[in-house]
Amino acid sequence: MEEGLIKRVMASMECGVCGQCYEPDNISVLGYQEDLWFLKVFCSACHTQYLVAAVIREGRMPEVITDLTEVELDKFRNEGKLTADEVLDMHNFLKDFGGDISRLFSRK
Ligand SMILES: [Zn+2]
């Protein structure tokens, strides 16, 4: 899937803090594994930055697995669990779940 399409799909998502829809210009693609995309989104309304892992398939609403805010990221960083390499950490985080995406959703 193309990055431009991913951004359009993610732009239909609402900010978890203020409910404002994201703007495509404020969405950066960090990387992906098959249907799993790692994104950084910034809400222009409340200025919250998120690190998002989402399963995005064509013709479907994205299913967000994690959406950590920058504040939460800082907390993890202080606890020494998160390094500056956010993408790698996301991969490691998902590896801990044994790559079973459906299990992630059932944990909610
Ligand atoms: Zn917001």
Side-chain angles (χ1 to χ4, degrees):
M1 208 183 284
E2 291 174 24
E3 283 197 17
L5 186 59
I6 296 296
K7 289 183 181 183
R8 283 215 305 278
V9 169
M10 283 306 292
S12 66
M13 302 288 285
E14 292 174 356
C15 168
V17 173
C18 72
Q20 181 89 20
C21 284
Y22 299 122
E23 290 171 27
D25 286 348
N26 293 332
I27 299 164
S28 350
V29 174
L30 300 175
Y32 65 93
Q33 279 184 328
E34 295 177 15
D35 292 333
L36 186 59
W37 288 76
F38 303 95
L39 310 146
K40 198 182 249 183
V41 293
F42 175 76
C43 176
S44 56
C46 69
H47 295 175
T48 302
Q49 186 159 277
Y50 292 94
L51 195 62
V52 178
V55 176
I56 301 174
R57 294 190 184 93
E58 242 164 314
R60 290 185 51 180
M61 284 294 288
E63 298 179 72
V64 174
I65 298 167
T66 67
D67 55 345
L68 292 172
T69 64
E70 208 168 24
V71 175
E72 289 169 322
L73 284 175
D74 279 344
K75 199 174 78 183
F76 285 125
R77 270 196 204 103
N78 292 340
E79 286 169 2
K81 285 176 185 168
L82 204 69
T83 68
D85 195 337
E86 296 160 341
V87 180
L88 187 64
D89 282 336
M90 274 288 198
H91 281 280
N92 289 338
F93 164 78
L94 289 161
K95 232 183 274 171
D96 288 342
F97 287 98
D100 186 349
I101 301 300
S102 58
R103 235 178 80 214
L104 272 176
F105 291 127
S106 63
R107 287 167 64 96
K108 275 195 172 174

